[in-house]
Amino acid sequence: MRAAATSTAAALLVPRLTCSTSRARLSSSRLPLRRTAAMAAAPSSSSFRPEDARSPPALELPAAPLSKFKVALCQLSVTADKNRNIARTRTAIEKAAADGAKLVLLPEIWNSPYSNDSFPEYAEDIEAGGDAAPSFSMMSEVARSLQITLVGGSIPERSGNNLYNTCCIFGSDGKLKGKHRKIHLFDIDIPGKITFKESKTLTAGQSPTVVDTDVGRIGIGICYDIRFQELAMLYAARGAHLLCYPGAFNMTTGPLHWELLQRARAADNQLFVATCAPARDASAGYVAWGHSTLVGPFGEVIATTEHDEATIIAEIDYSLIEQRRQFLPLQHQRRGDLYQLVDVQRLGSQ
């Protein structure tokens, strides 16, 4: 019945389109001269200058060392016991590597309760290392021993008189390949729901972060950074295959925006997006939404979880990026004659 109805509708549609087209052709000769001239002056696609929509021009997607691999998103419970958090995180990383993960992503603020009171107490001096940075040291050592790439969620970092919300990225040799300090601080006030001001204790980072790793080029953001599409666009223009966002959305914004933003960043930029959240603790002062997720370059959810402690193991296949970009060739359709994204950092280094 449904097929028959569809056939009938299609049959009815064709003559209507034909009639409309005929009328359009008959009436086109009677168009006012001014309107005809305007139509003739409309820009052609060659004048849209898509390459100028990014300044400097977007980089080509680089060849990745691995085109297909497993990623682990370790959604961890966080307590006030820092040593317990470190030990439990190490165990989760080791289990993920044993399950075949070449890339492991940790949650935002996994070694400390998420609060302005806790950030100064749990902060580590990454530059000093050793006993001054036990979380940092564990991540470096475990990345080296397991020969994995580790996007280390985030921890409070102390540098001089400032505190930062910082993500450290380690190569398979255990060396620090990049450090992202959260650019956009989480300062919100939703009356009757949630008020939080990271800026009471934390300082905003000053630099976007793109890192070349054994599993491809990765752009890094932390939680609130995901709301700013300009940052994701900039990373895509720098040739990122994957965007990683450790994040701890809350029970107000999480149900509304967490998955929505991930899928938007992935679909708009036609690349992979991976997020990792802490597990939910309903007794905590700040209650996380959870729902760590991997999204593909068509905005499709590849893997996700609920709010309990869990590790997602999923496959990333970079060949899907080129395939999706062939399906929807957005990079060739942008209007550089009308708008432009400026990468201030790249432009200044030229």
Side-chain angles (χ1 to χ4, degrees):
M1 181 67 70
R2 186 175 179 182
T6 303
S7 300
T8 303
L12 291 171
L13 190 60
V14 172
R16 288 181 63 191
L17 285 173
T18 304
C19 291
S20 297
T21 304
S22 299
R23 284 197 298 270
R25 286 173 178 167
L26 287 170
S27 60
S28 63
S29 61
R30 296 194 294 270
L31 286 171
L33 182 60
R34 184 167 51 188
R35 184 179 173 191
T36 305
M39 291 173 65
S44 66
S45 58
S46 61
S47 66
F48 292 164
R49 304 199 307 275
E51 67 281 359
D52 291 342
R54 301 289 182 266
S55 177
L59 301 176
E60 292 291 329
L61 193 70
L66 289 176
S67 62
K68 188 183 293 186
F69 60 91
K70 288 183 179 179
V71 60
L73 314 177
C74 297
Q75 183 166 290
L76 304 169
S77 62
V78 179
T79 71
D81 185 338
K82 185 174 182 179
N83 290 332
R84 177 264 185 203
N85 294 336
I86 293 173
R88 196 171 184 87
T89 298
R90 180 173 189 136
T91 298
I93 296 169
E94 291 171 341
K95 177 64 165 59
D99 289 340
K102 294 296 184 183
L103 169 66
V104 176
L105 176 59
L106 301 180
E108 181 184 22
I109 307 294
W110 59 263
N111 70 340
S112 160
Y114 187 86
S115 73
N116 280 312
D117 290 338
S118 298
F119 296 153
E121 178 184 352
Y122 289 75
E124 299 189 2
D125 186 339
I126 291 172
E127 298 300 327
D131 293 340
S135 304
F136 175 88
S137 298
M138 180 277 288
M139 289 189 288
S140 173
E141 198 280 324
V142 77
R144 181 194 59 78
S145 64
L146 298 174
Q147 296 185 310
I148 59 168
T149 299
L150 178 60
V151 177
S154 76
I155 61 174
E157 177 200 4
R158 185 181 301 280
S159 180
N161 294 323
N162 294 326
L163 295 176
Y164 299 94
N165 187 341
T166 299
C167 175
C168 298
I169 305 94
F170 300 90
S172 55
D173 57 1
K175 293 181 180 179
L176 183 67
K177 297 189 73 68
K179 186 171 70 172
H180 179 78
R181 290 168 168 168
K182 189 173 187 177
I183 293 175
H184 305 94
L185 295 183
F186 179 59
D187 284 8
I188 69 165
D189 182 12
I190 303 176
K193 297 290 185 180
I194 181 171
T195 298
F196 201 98
K197 304 287 184 183
E198 276 189 329
S199 61
K200 284 184 176 180
T201 55
L202 301 179
T203 299
Q206 296 298 314
S207 178
T209 307
V210 178
V211 182
D212 284 315
T213 74
D214 290 343
V215 293
R217 186 168 292 174
I218 303 176
I220 304 293
I222 299 175
C223 199
Y224 205 55
D225 286 337
I226 200 173
R227 290 191 176 275
F228 298 87
Q229 66 268 36
E230 298 89 348
L231 183 63
M233 293 161 64
L234 183 152
Y235 287 157
R238 292 188 183 188
H241 301 93
L242 166 68
L243 307 184
C244 288
Y245 293 97
F249 269 47
N250 55 73
M251 298 299 292
T252 299
T253 60
L256 289 169
H257 301 151
W258 180 235
E259 182 181 301
L260 172 69
L261 289 166
Q262 296 171 62
R263 297 182 68 189
R265 298 295 85 84
D268 285 351
N269 297 289
Q270 300 176 303
L271 39 62
F272 285 87
V273 169
T275 62
C276 191
R280 188 181 306 169
D281 178 359
S283 67
Y286 181 94
V287 182
W289 171 241
H291 295 262
S292 303
T293 303
L294 176 66
V295 181
F298 236 30
E300 73 277 23
V301 173
I302 296 172
T304 190
T305 188
E306 295 295 323
H307 61 268
D308 294 325
E309 186 169 89
T311 294
I312 299 170
I313 304 287
E315 184 176 78
I316 287 178
D317 182 354
Y318 286 148
S319 69
L320 293 177
I321 298 177
E322 290 291 358
Q323 183 190 77
R324 301 318 193 214
R325 291 181 181 184
Q326 289 174 6
F327 292 166
L328 294 173
L330 306 183
Q331 69 273 26
H332 302 303
Q333 298 170 330
R334 294 191 175 98
R335 294 292 301 269
D337 59 324
L338 299 178
Y339 50 77
Q340 186 179 70
L341 175 74
V342 178
D343 186 336
V344 174
Q345 194 178 63
R346 271 184 69 206
L347 198 63
S349 67
Q350 289 186 343

